[in-house]
Amino acid sequence: MASSLTNEIKQTLIALVRDKFSVDLDDVVSEIPPKTELGDLAFPLAFDLAKRIKAATGEKKNPREIANKLADGLKTVPGVARVEIAGPGYLNVFFSRADIFTQLASASQNVATGTQPSGKLIVEHTSINPNKAAHIGHVRNSVLGDTTARILKATGENVEIHNYIDNTGVQVADVVVGFMHLENKSLAEIKAIAERPVAKREDNFDYYCWDLYSRVGQWYEEDKTRLQIRAQTLHEIEEGNNATAEIGEYISSRIVDCHLETMARLDISYDLLARESEILHLHFWAHAFEKLKASGAIVFETEGRNKGCWVMRAEEGRTEGETEGQSDAESEHDADKIIVRSNGTVTYTGKDIAYHLWKLGKLGLDFHYRLLRHDHHGREVWITTGDESSANNQHPPFGNGTAFLNVIDVGQSYPQANVKKGVMAIDHDERVARSAHLAYEKVTLTPAAAIELGTELSEADQQRQQIGMSGRKGLGVKADDLIDRLETKALAEVQSRNADLSEAQQQKIARQIAVAALRYFLLKFTRTSIIAFDFEEALKFRGETGPYLQYSVRRLSNIFTELGRSADDVRAEFAQLSAEEVATQFSGEAGDVLWSLVYFASRLDDVVQLSANAFEPTHVAKYAFQLADQFNTFYQDKRFHILKESDAKRKTVLLVAVDVVRQKLAQALALLGIEVPEKM
RNA sequence: GCUCCCGUAGCUCAGUUGGAUAGAGCAUUAGCCUUCUAAGCUAAGGGUCGCAGGUUCGAAUCCUGCCGGGGGCGCCA
C-alpha cells in the first residue's frame, strides 16, 4: 500500500531526474516529514542535485528551482494528491488519503511478505548450560531470539529454531562434582531430589542445582587441587558409558526440562535441541577436520609458538611494507586461532565449526533424532540422540540451512567470528555470508537489585553503576522468581479491576500481563545496550510497558464490543461510501489527526522489514509503543468520540480506522510474543 | 598494546541509509473519572547530544584525535 506507492514515486523521480537533468541516480532518499501538515513523504534530493549539476556543468542552481521542475511530474502518479516545495528545497508529497485508507480497509490482515525465502534460516538461541536455573540474562537471549525469529517469519523467511545443549561441558561437570563429592549422592538419590513433589519454587531441581553449583565453586576455591576432580569428571562425561556420565546425562536432561518449562511460560519454544554429546560421539569433528584440512582453511604449524598445532590464520597476509622490522613469529601470528592442540585434541571453536557445517548440510553426517515432547501449543520438540536404537526415523528434516543466526552474548564475538570464518572457507555459497552472530549485551544488576537479592556489597561495589551477575557466585535474578513476582502483582491488579471473573480467568490474564511486562522490558532496549536490572523498573505496568500495549488493544476492541457490531459488518458498510465521503473525514485539522494515526498504522510492514534486516526486534517494540501512544491520544480527543458520533458516515470511517489500528497493533504485539487478554 | 560496544533531559533509554524546531518513559509540578474502562490523557519545567577539530548546503548520526565506563584478545568453554 503506502510502501509500494513510495517505490513508485521513487522510480518516477529517478526517471524525471534523468530526463530533466541528465543525472543517473541508483536510489533516492526519502523521509517521513516531522509533521503531517508538511506531507506524507519528503525528498531532500534537490540539494544533492544542485551540487551534482554544479560539478558537471558549473551552472549554479537553486534547490527550490530544481524541486519545482520535478514537482509537476510527480503529480501524475496515481495516489499522489499534491506536491509542495518547502523550506530550502524539500519536495513534499501528499498522498490521496481516501485512496490509501480505502486500500488499508480492504487489505489482507497479515503482515505483507516481501521476499521469497532463499532457503532455510537456522536461528539458535537460549543455549543455556544445563546445570542450574535460568536467570534474567538467559531470558534476554531467549526473548531476543524468539522475537527475531517471529519477525523473520513474518517477512516470509523459512526459520528453524535450535537450542544448543552443552550437556558435556565444564558447567555440568561442576554440578556432577557437587552431587558426587560434596553430597556423596548416588544416581538414585539425585533422582529422588529431582522428582520429589514441588511445594514451593525453591524445591525445583534447577533451583537446587543453582545453589549446589555455587557451593562447588566455593569448594574449589578452598582447595585448588580439587580442580583435578573436575578435570577427571569432565573427562568421564565426555567419554560416556560410565556411571559419572550417566549422572551427568540425568542431571542435564532434568535441567533442560526445567528450562523448557520456564521458557514455555514466556511462550518460547524450539524445533530442535542439539546436544554436544552427539557431536562428540558421532564424531562430527573428525569429518570437519578432514574438510578443513582439504580446503586449506587450517594449516599445521611446524615452527614458532604454535608448533604442532593446526591453526586458522588471522589474515591472509599483511599490508605491503608494514611492520617488516618486527616480523618475528611472536607478533606475526598473535591472532591465529588454534583449532587442534599439539596434543591432538580439538578446541571448542573446532567443535563449533563442525556443528555449523552440519547446520548448513555440509558435514556429510547427521544426528539421530527422537521426539522429546509436545510444547505448550502442541507442536513437536525434537532432540538429538546418539543412540540409534531409540531414534525415530519419522522426524522432520533438520539442518540443511542456507544460513545461520546465533543469538549469543557479545562476549563471544571473537570465537563466533572464527566459527563463521571456518565455515565460509568450506561453504562458499554466497547466501551463507548472511549468517550472523546476533550479539547482545549482558543484563547486569543495579546495586539496589543486588542488595535486594541478599548480596553483601563492598563499599566499592556500592559505588558502581552495575554489578555483574554470576552463576558461579549464585548471584542473579532467577527467571521463574521474576515471572512469579510479575504474576502475583498482575493478579492483584486483575482482581481489583475484574472481580467478576472466575479465578481461572483472572490467573490466565495475570499470566499474559506478566509475560507482556517481561518481554517488553527486555525488548525496549537495543541489543547493544547493557540492561542494568532494576526490580522497580521491571515490575512496572504503566508507561512504556507491555501491559500498556495490551490495554491499548483492549480499548480498541472494546469500541466494537460496545457497538455490538462486528468489524466486518462495518467494513461492508464502509465499502458503500463514495471517495468524496471518505475524503471529507480526512480534511481539516481533525482530519489531519485521524490521517496521522492511520498513516502511522500503515507503516507496520516497513518497520517489520527494517527490523528483520537489522535483526533488531527493538524497532517493532518501539513502533508498537508509538502506535499505542498515538491511539490513546486520539482516543481521548473530544473530537473523536466514536460511539456518540451522530454522523453515520463519519462514524463508519472512524470505526474502520479504529479497526485498522487494532489489527496493526495486535499484529505487532504478536510479533513481540505478547498476547492480548480478553479483559483488563 | 590491539580490538569491539557504550556516553543524548535529574534517572533509564529511543533516534532507519546524514535532513526541517533532538524524542519517549520514569521522577517533579498543575490539571482531567455522572466520559468508547484512569494499566489512560492534557499541560509545564528540564539538553554545551562526553570534549576538540574536520567533511557537508545540512552532523546526535560520517572521519580524526582525546576523555570516561564496560567487554574481548588462552594449546578454557
Side-chain angles (χ1 to χ4, degrees), chain A residues 207-325:
Chain A
Y207 276 50
Y208 188 95
C209 292
W210 173 283
D211 292 333
L212 181 57
Y213 177 56
S214 151
R215 280 163 55 208
V216 171
Q218 192 64 41
W219 191 67
Y220 293 146
E221 284 291 311
E222 287 161 12
D223 181 356
K224 293 278 166 67
T225 64
R226 288 167 175 165
L227 287 169
Q228 288 174 2
I229 297 172
R230 162 157 79 176
Q232 179 60 30
T233 303
L234 179 59
H235 179 73
E236 288 171 16
I237 289 172
E238 284 178 345
E239 192 136 281
N241 290 319
N242 57 64
T244 306
E246 199 183 343
I247 288 174
E249 163 81 18
Y250 178 78
I251 293 170
S252 61
S253 297
R254 290 293 75 72
I255 298 286
V256 166
D257 289 340
C258 293
H259 290 165
L260 293 179
E261 293 300 328
T262 303
M263 294 309 163
R265 295 178 81 185
L266 301 172
D267 197 11
I268 295 172
S269 190
Y270 314 88
D271 296 313
L272 177 68
L273 311 189
R275 307 197 308 171
E276 186 178 66
S277 52
E278 275 72 75
I279 290 175
L280 251 45
H281 299 147
L282 296 171
H283 309 293
F284 274 27
W285 167 245
H287 274 243
F289 192 23
E290 293 310 314
K291 287 180 186 291
L292 285 167
K293 281 193 283 194
S295 73
I298 60 173
V299 292
F300 188 72
E301 294 286 9
T302 55
E303 57 182 14
R305 59 191 252 168
N306 293 336
K307 185 178 177 183
C309 298
W310 287 88
V311 305
M312 192 158 63
R313 288 275 158 78
E315 288 302 325
E316 282 309 303
R318 85 165 74 83
T319 322
E320 278 298 313
E322 199 182 20
T323 62
E324 271 307 307

Side-chain angles (χ1 to χ4, degrees), chain A residues 475-496:
Chain A
L475 175 60
V477 179
K478 294 189 205 68
D480 284 311
D481 281 347
L482 182 58
I483 302 169
D484 288 347
R485 282 179 67 167
L486 284 162
E487 286 181 355
T488 302
K489 190 183 171 194
L491 185 60
E493 296 276 347
V494 173
Q495 283 167 341
S496 72

